[in-house]
Coordinates of all heavy atoms in Angstrom, one line a residue:
M1 N 114.5 106.6 121.2 CA 113.1 106.2 121.4 C 112.2 107.0 120.5 O 111.3 106.4 119.9 CB 112.7 106.6 122.8 CG 111.4 106.2 123.2 SD 111.2 104.4 123.0 CE 109.6 104.2 123.8
K2 N 112.6 108.2 120.3 CA 111.7 109.1 119.3 C 111.8 108.5 117.8 O 110.9 108.5 117.1 CB 112.2 110.6 119.3 CG 111.6 111.2 120.5 CD 112.0 112.7 120.6 CE 111.6 113.3 121.8 NZ 111.9 114.7 121.9
R3 N 113.1 108.1 117.5 CA 113.2 107.5 116.1 C 112.4 106.2 115.9 O 111.9 106.0 115.0 CB 114.8 107.2 115.8 CG 115.6 108.4 115.7 CD 117.0 108.1 115.3 NE 117.8 109.2 115.1 CZ 119.0 109.2 114.8 NH1 119.7 108.0 114.6 NH2 119.6 110.4 114.7
F4 N 112.4 105.4 117.0 CA 111.6 104.2 117.0 C 110.1 104.5 116.8 O 109.3 103.9 116.0 CB 111.8 103.4 118.3 CG 110.9 102.2 118.4 CD1 111.2 101.1 117.5 CD2 109.8 102.2 119.2 CE1 110.2 100.0 117.6 CE2 108.9 101.1 119.2 CZ 109.1 100.0 118.4
V5 N 109.6 105.5 117.6 CA 108.2 105.9 117.4 C 107.8 106.4 116.0 O 106.9 106.1 115.4 CB 107.8 106.9 118.5 CG1 106.5 107.5 118.3 CG2 107.9 106.3 119.8
A6 N 108.8 107.3 115.5 CA 108.6 107.7 114.2 C 108.7 106.6 113.1 O 107.8 106.6 112.1 CB 109.7 108.8 113.8
L7 N 109.5 105.6 113.3 CA 109.6 104.6 112.4 C 108.3 103.7 112.5 O 107.8 103.3 111.5 CB 110.9 103.8 112.7 CG 111.1 102.5 111.7 CD1 111.2 102.9 110.4 CD2 112.2 101.7 112.3
A8 N 107.9 103.5 113.7 CA 106.7 102.6 113.9 C 105.4 103.4 113.2 O 104.6 102.8 112.6 CB 106.4 102.5 115.4
A9 N 105.3 104.6 113.4 CA 104.3 105.5 112.9 C 104.4 105.3 111.4 O 103.3 105.1 110.7 CB 104.4 106.9 113.3
A10 N 105.5 105.5 110.8 CA 105.7 105.4 109.3 C 105.3 104.1 108.8 O 104.6 103.9 107.8 CB 107.1 105.8 108.8
L11 N 105.7 103.1 109.6 CA 105.3 101.7 109.2 C 103.9 101.4 109.3 O 103.3 100.7 108.3 CB 106.0 100.6 110.0 CG 106.0 99.2 109.7 CD1 106.6 99.0 108.3 CD2 106.8 98.3 110.8
C12 N 103.2 102.0 110.2 CA 101.7 101.9 110.3 C 101.1 102.5 109.1 O 100.1 101.9 108.6 CB 101.2 102.5 111.6 SG 101.6 101.5 113.1
I13 N 101.5 103.6 108.8 CA 100.9 104.3 107.5 C 101.1 103.5 106.3 O 100.3 103.3 105.5 CB 101.6 105.7 107.4 CG1 101.0 106.5 108.5 CG2 101.2 106.3 106.0 CD1 101.7 107.9 108.6
I14 N 102.4 102.9 106.1 CA 102.6 102.2 104.9 C 101.9 100.9 104.9 O 101.3 100.4 103.8 CB 104.2 101.8 104.8 CG1 105.0 103.1 104.7 CG2 104.5 100.9 103.8 CD1 106.5 103.0 104.8
L15 N 101.7 100.2 106.0 CA 101.1 98.9 106.1 C 99.6 99.0 106.3 O 98.9 97.9 106.1 CB 101.7 98.0 107.0 CG 103.1 97.6 106.9 CD1 103.6 96.8 108.1 CD2 103.4 97.0 105.5
S16 N 99.0 100.1 106.5 CA 97.6 100.2 106.9 C 96.8 100.0 105.6 O 97.2 100.4 104.5 CB 97.3 101.5 107.5 OG 97.5 102.6 106.7
V17 N 95.5 99.6 105.8 CA 94.6 99.5 104.8 C 93.6 100.7 104.9 O 92.7 100.4 105.7 CB 93.9 98.2 104.9 CG1 92.8 98.0 103.8 CG2 94.9 97.0 104.9
S18 N 93.9 101.8 104.4 CA 93.1 102.9 104.4 C 92.0 102.9 105.4 O 90.8 102.6 105.1 CB 92.6 103.2 103.0 OG 91.8 104.5 103.1
A19 N 92.3 103.2 106.6 CA 91.3 103.3 107.7 C 90.2 104.4 107.4 O 89.1 104.1 107.8 CB 92.0 103.7 109.1
A20 N 90.6 105.3 106.8 CA 89.6 106.4 106.3 C 88.5 105.8 105.5 O 87.4 106.3 105.5 CB 90.3 107.7 105.8
G21 N 88.8 104.9 104.7 CA 87.8 104.3 103.8 C 86.9 103.2 104.6 O 86.0 102.8 104.1
A22 N 87.3 102.9 105.9 CA 86.5 101.9 106.6 C 85.2 102.5 107.2 O 84.4 101.9 107.7 CB 87.3 101.4 107.7
Y23 N 85.1 103.9 107.3 CA 84.1 104.6 107.9 C 82.9 104.8 107.0 O 83.2 105.2 105.9 CB 84.6 105.8 108.6 CG 85.5 105.7 109.7 CD1 86.9 106.0 109.5 CD2 85.1 105.1 110.9 CE1 87.8 105.8 110.6 CE2 86.1 104.8 111.9 CZ 87.4 105.2 111.7 OH 88.3 105.0 112.7
S24 N 81.7 104.8 107.5 CA 80.6 105.2 106.6 C 80.5 106.7 106.4 O 79.8 107.0 105.4 CB 79.3 104.6 107.2 OG 79.0 105.3 108.3
D25 N 81.1 107.4 107.1 CA 81.1 108.9 106.8 C 82.5 109.4 106.3 O 82.8 110.5 106.6 CB 80.8 109.6 108.2 CG 81.7 109.4 109.4 OD1 82.7 108.5 109.3 OD2 81.6 110.1 110.3
K26 N 83.1 108.5 105.6 CA 84.4 108.9 105.0 C 84.4 110.1 104.1 O 85.4 110.8 104.0 CB 85.0 107.7 104.3 CG 84.1 107.3 103.1 CD 84.8 106.0 102.4 CE 83.9 105.5 101.4 NZ 83.9 104.1 101.1
D27 N 83.2 110.4 103.5 CA 83.1 111.6 102.7 C 83.2 112.8 103.5 O 83.5 113.9 103.0 CB 81.8 111.6 101.9 CG 80.5 111.4 102.7 OD1 80.6 110.8 103.7 OD2 79.5 112.0 102.3
K28 N 82.9 112.9 104.7 CA 83.1 114.0 105.6 C 84.4 114.3 106.1 O 84.8 115.3 106.7 CB 82.2 113.8 106.9 CG 80.7 113.9 106.5 CD 79.9 113.7 107.7 CE 78.3 113.6 107.2 NZ 77.6 113.4 108.4
I29 N 85.5 113.3 105.9 CA 86.8 113.4 106.3 C 87.6 114.1 105.1 O 87.5 113.7 103.9 CB 87.5 112.1 106.5 CG1 86.8 111.4 107.7 CG2 88.9 112.2 106.9 CD1 87.2 109.9 108.0
S30 N 88.1 115.3 105.4 CA 88.8 116.0 104.3 C 89.9 115.3 103.8 O 90.7 114.6 104.6 CB 89.2 117.5 104.8 OG 90.3 117.3 105.7
P31 N 90.3 115.4 102.5 CA 91.3 114.7 101.9 C 92.7 115.1 102.6 O 93.6 114.1 102.8 CB 91.4 115.1 100.5 CG 90.1 115.5 100.3 CD 89.5 116.2 101.5
S32 N 92.9 116.2 103.1 CA 94.1 116.7 103.7 C 94.2 116.0 105.1 O 95.3 116.1 105.7 CB 94.1 118.2 103.9 OG 93.1 118.7 104.7
A33 N 93.2 115.6 105.7 CA 93.2 114.9 107.1 C 93.3 113.5 106.9 O 93.3 112.7 108.0 CB 92.1 115.4 107.9
A34 N 93.0 112.9 105.8 CA 93.0 111.4 105.7 C 94.1 110.7 106.3 O 94.0 109.7 107.0 CB 92.7 111.0 104.3
E35 N 95.3 111.1 106.0 CA 96.5 110.5 106.5 C 96.6 110.5 108.1 O 97.0 109.5 108.7 CB 97.7 111.2 105.9 CG 99.0 110.4 106.3 CD 100.3 111.0 105.6 OE1 100.1 111.6 104.6 OE2 101.4 110.9 106.1
A36 N 96.2 111.7 108.6 CA 96.1 111.9 110.1 C 95.2 110.9 110.7 O 95.4 110.3 111.8 CB 95.9 113.3 110.5
V37 N 93.9 110.8 110.0 CA 92.9 109.8 110.5 C 93.4 108.4 110.5 O 93.3 107.7 111.5 CB 91.6 110.0 109.6 CG1 90.6 108.8 109.9 CG2 91.0 111.4 109.8
E38 N 94.2 108.1 109.5 CA 94.8 106.7 109.4 C 95.8 106.4 110.5 O 95.7 105.5 111.1 CB 95.4 106.5 108.1 CG 94.3 106.4 106.9 CD 95.1 106.0 105.6 OE1 96.3 105.4 105.7 OE2 94.6 106.4 104.5
L39 N 96.6 107.4 110.8 CA 97.7 107.3 111.8 C 96.9 107.3 113.2 O 97.2 106.3 114.1 CB 98.6 108.5 111.8 CG 99.6 108.5 112.9 CD1 100.6 107.2 112.6 CD2 100.4 109.7 112.7
M40 N 96.0 108.1 113.4 CA 95.3 108.0 114.8 C 94.5 106.7 114.9 O 94.4 106.2 116.0 CB 94.3 109.3 114.9 CG 95.0 110.5 115.0 SD 96.3 110.6 116.3 CE 95.3 111.7 117.4
Y41 N 94.0 106.3 113.9 CA 93.3 104.9 113.9 C 94.2 103.8 114.1 O 94.1 103.0 115.0 CB 92.5 104.7 112.6 CG 91.8 103.4 112.4 CD1 90.5 103.3 112.9 CD2 92.4 102.2 112.0 CE1 89.8 102.1 112.9 CE2 91.7 101.0 112.0 CZ 90.4 101.0 112.4 OH 89.7 99.8 112.3
D42 N 95.4 103.7 113.4 CA 96.4 102.8 113.5 C 97.0 102.7 114.9 O 97.4 101.7 115.5 CB 97.5 102.8 112.5 CG 96.9 102.5 111.0 OD1 95.9 101.8 110.9 OD2 97.6 103.0 110.1
L43 N 97.3 103.8 115.6 CA 97.9 103.9 116.8 C 96.8 103.7 118.0 O 97.1 103.7 119.1 CB 98.5 105.3 117.0 CG 99.8 105.5 116.2 CD1 100.2 106.9 116.3 CD2 100.8 104.4 116.4
D44 N 95.6 103.4 117.6 CA 94.5 103.1 118.5 C 94.2 104.2 119.4 O 93.9 104.1 120.6 CB 94.7 101.8 119.3 CG 93.5 101.3 119.9 OD1 92.4 101.5 119.4 OD2 93.6 100.5 121.0
I45 N 94.3 105.5 118.9 CA 94.0 106.7 119.7 C 92.6 107.1 119.5 O 91.9 107.4 120.5 CB 95.0 107.8 119.3 CG1 96.4 107.3 119.9 CG2 94.6 109.1 120.1 CD1 97.5 108.3 119.5
M46 N 92.1 107.3 118.2 CA 90.8 107.6 117.9 C 90.3 106.6 116.8 O 90.8 106.3 115.9 CB 90.9 109.0 117.3 CG 91.2 110.1 118.2 SD 91.0 111.7 117.5 CE 91.7 112.7 118.8
R47 N 89.2 106.1 117.3 CA 88.5 105.0 116.4 C 87.0 105.5 116.0 O 86.4 104.6 115.5 CB 88.4 103.7 117.2 CG 89.8 103.1 117.4 CD 89.9 102.0 116.5 NE 91.3 101.5 116.6 CZ 91.7 100.5 115.9 NH1 90.8 99.9 115.1 NH2 92.9 100.1 116.0
G48 N 86.6 106.6 116.5 CA 85.1 107.0 116.1 C 84.3 106.0 117.0 O 84.6 105.6 118.1
D49 N 83.1 105.8 116.4 CA 82.2 104.9 117.2 C 82.1 103.5 116.7 O 81.2 102.8 117.0 CB 80.7 105.5 117.2 CG 80.1 105.7 115.9 OD1 80.7 105.2 114.9 OD2 79.1 106.4 115.8
G50 N 83.0 103.2 115.8 CA 83.1 101.8 115.2 C 82.5 101.8 113.8 O 83.0 101.0 113.0
I51 N 81.6 102.6 113.5 CA 80.9 102.7 112.1 C 81.3 104.1 111.5 O 81.7 104.1 110.4 CB 79.4 102.6 112.2 CG1 79.1 101.2 112.9 CG2 78.7 102.8 111.0 CD1 77.6 101.0 113.2
N52 N 81.3 105.1 112.3 CA 81.5 106.5 111.8 C 82.7 107.1 112.5 O 82.9 106.8 113.8 CB 80.4 107.4 112.1 CG 79.1 107.0 111.4 OD1 79.1 106.7 110.1 ND2 78.0 106.8 112.0
F53 N 83.5 107.8 111.8 CA 84.7 108.4 112.4 C 84.2 109.8 113.3 O 84.8 110.2 114.2 CB 85.8 108.8 111.5 CG 87.0 109.5 112.1 CD1 87.9 108.6 112.8 CD2 87.3 110.8 112.1 CE1 89.0 109.0 113.4 CE2 88.4 111.2 112.6 CZ 89.3 110.4 113.3
R54 N 83.2 110.3 112.7 CA 82.7 111.6 113.5 C 83.6 112.7 113.3 O 84.0 113.3 114.4 CB 82.2 111.3 114.9 CG 81.3 110.2 115.1 CD 80.9 110.0 116.5 NE 81.7 110.6 117.6 CZ 82.8 110.1 118.2 NH1 83.0 108.8 118.1 NH2 83.4 110.8 119.1
P55 N 84.1 113.1 112.1 CA 85.2 114.2 112.0 C 84.7 115.6 112.6 O 85.6 116.3 113.0 CB 85.6 114.2 110.5 CG 84.3 113.7 109.9 CD 83.7 112.7 110.9
N56 N 83.4 115.8 112.6 CA 82.9 117.1 113.1 C 82.4 117.1 114.6 O 82.0 118.1 115.0 CB 81.9 117.6 112.2 CG 82.4 117.8 110.7 OD1 83.5 118.3 110.6 ND2 81.7 117.4 109.7
A57 N 82.5 115.9 115.1 CA 82.0 115.8 116.5 C 83.1 116.3 117.6 O 84.3 116.4 117.2 CB 81.7 114.3 116.9
N58 N 82.6 116.6 118.8 CA 83.6 117.0 119.8 C 84.4 115.7 120.2 O 83.9 114.7 120.1 CB 82.8 117.6 121.0 CG 82.2 119.0 120.7 OD1 82.7 119.7 119.8 ND2 81.1 119.1 121.4
I59 N 85.6 116.1 120.6 CA 86.4 114.9 121.1 C 85.8 114.4 122.4 O 85.4 115.3 123.3 CB 87.9 115.4 121.3 CG1 88.9 114.2 121.5 CG2 88.1 116.3 122.2 CD1 90.2 114.5 121.3
T60 N 85.9 113.0 122.5 CA 85.4 112.5 123.8 C 86.4 112.5 125.0 O 87.7 112.7 124.7 CB 84.9 111.1 123.7 OG1 86.0 110.3 123.2 CG2 83.8 111.1 122.5
R61 N 86.0 112.3 126.2 CA 87.0 112.2 127.3 C 88.1 111.1 127.0 O 89.1 111.3 127.3 CB 86.3 112.1 128.6 CG 85.8 113.4 129.1 CD 85.1 113.2 130.4 NE 83.7 113.0 130.1 CZ 82.7 112.8 131.0 NH1 83.1 112.5 132.2 NH2 81.5 112.7 130.6
E62 N 87.4 109.9 126.5 CA 88.3 108.9 126.3 C 89.3 109.1 125.3 O 90.5 108.7 125.5 CB 87.4 107.6 125.9 CG 88.2 106.4 125.6 CD 87.4 105.3 125.0 OE1 86.3 105.4 124.8 OE2 88.1 104.2 124.8
E63 N 88.9 109.8 124.1 CA 89.8 110.1 123.0 C 91.0 111.1 123.6 O 92.0 110.9 123.3 CB 89.1 110.7 122.0 CG 88.3 109.7 121.2 CD 87.3 110.3 120.1 OE1 87.0 111.4 120.2 OE2 87.0 109.5 119.2
M64 N 90.5 112.1 124.5 CA 91.4 113.1 124.9 C 92.4 112.3 125.8 O 93.6 112.7 125.8 CB 90.8 114.1 125.7 CG 91.7 115.3 126.0 SD 92.3 116.1 124.6 CE 93.7 116.7 125.1
F65 N 92.0 111.4 126.7 CA 92.8 110.6 127.5 C 93.9 109.8 126.8 O 95.1 109.9 127.1 CB 92.1 109.7 128.4 CG 93.0 108.9 129.3 CD1 93.5 109.4 130.4 CD2 93.2 107.5 128.9 CE1 94.3 108.5 131.1 CE2 94.0 106.7 129.6 CZ 94.6 107.2 130.7
R66 N 93.4 109.2 125.6 CA 94.3 108.5 124.8 C 95.4 109.4 124.2 O 96.6 109.0 124.1 CB 93.6 107.8 123.7 CG 92.8 106.6 124.3 CD 92.1 105.8 123.2 NE 91.3 104.7 123.7 CZ 91.1 103.6 123.1 NH1 91.5 103.5 121.9 NH2 90.5 102.7 123.6
V67 N 95.0 110.6 123.8 CA 95.9 111.5 123.2 C 97.0 112.0 124.2 O 98.2 111.9 123.9 CB 95.3 112.8 122.5 CG1 96.2 113.8 122.2 CG2 94.4 112.3 121.4
V68 N 96.6 112.3 125.4 CA 97.5 112.8 126.5 C 98.4 111.6 126.9 O 99.6 111.8 127.0 CB 96.7 113.4 127.6 CG1 97.6 113.8 128.8 CG2 96.0 114.7 127.2
Y69 N 97.8 110.5 127.1 CA 98.6 109.2 127.5 C 99.7 109.0 126.4 O 100.8 108.7 126.7 CB 97.6 108.1 127.7 CG 98.5 106.8 128.1 CD1 98.9 106.7 129.4 CD2 98.7 105.8 127.1 CE1 99.7 105.5 129.7 CE2 99.4 104.7 127.5 CZ 99.9 104.5 128.8 OH 100.6 103.5 129.1
S70 N 99.2 109.1 125.1 CA 100.2 108.7 124.0 C 101.4 109.8 124.0 O 102.5 109.3 123.8 CB 99.5 108.7 122.7 OG 98.5 107.8 122.6
L71 N 101.1 111.0 124.2 CA 102.2 112.0 124.3 C 103.1 111.9 125.4 O 104.3 112.2 125.4 CB 101.5 113.4 124.4 CG 100.7 113.8 123.1 CD1 100.0 115.2 123.2 CD2 101.7 113.9 121.9
T72 N 102.5 111.4 126.6 CA 103.4 111.3 127.8 C 104.2 110.1 127.8 O 105.1 109.8 128.5 CB 102.5 111.4 129.1 OG1 101.5 110.4 129.1 CG2 101.8 112.8 129.2
S73 N 103.7 109.0 127.0 CA 104.4 107.7 127.1 C 105.6 107.7 126.1 O 106.2 106.6 126.0 CB 103.5 106.6 126.8 OG 102.9 106.7 125.6
V74 N 105.8 108.7 125.3 CA 106.9 108.7 124.2 C 108.3 109.1 125.0 O 108.4 109.6 125.8 CB 106.6 109.7 123.2 CG1 107.7 109.8 122.2 CG2 105.3 109.4 122.4

């Protein structure tokens, strides 16, 4: 199961259309975190507010729930 999740994550990264470039505040996302932002976006865990990713904002309850749920469902 872990191999499938890893393969799916890699496939999302390969096939994604730079999600970090879709945000109006993309200049605030550090280059070293851009890949992680894309992965979290592709896995529908963190989406920001639809226009901005808000990389310096506190994590919301909804986002934290999605992270915990994603970890427990693996």
Side-chain angles (χ1 to χ4, degrees):
M1 182 66 171
K2 289 183 181 182
R3 286 184 183 181
F4 174 74
V5 172
L7 180 60
L11 190 58
C12 286
I13 291 171
I14 293 168
L15 297 176
S16 70
V17 179
S18 186
Y23 297 111
S24 63
D25 62 350
K26 63 183 172 206
D27 57 324
K28 294 180 183 175
I29 300 171
S30 71
S32 61
E35 186 175 334
V37 169
E38 288 183 32
L39 180 61
M40 296 301 256
Y41 181 90
D42 290 339
L43 295 175
D44 198 26
I45 294 173
M46 293 183 182
R47 294 251 173 182
D49 62 10
I51 298 171
N52 298 308
F53 184 72
R54 304 176 352 257
N56 298 319
N58 292 331
I59 190 168
T60 65
R61 279 180 263 174
E62 178 186 2
E63 290 169 335
M64 191 63 211
F65 174 79
R66 288 179 180 210
V67 169
V68 172
Y69 179 78
S70 297
L71 292 174
T72 58
S73 64
V74 173

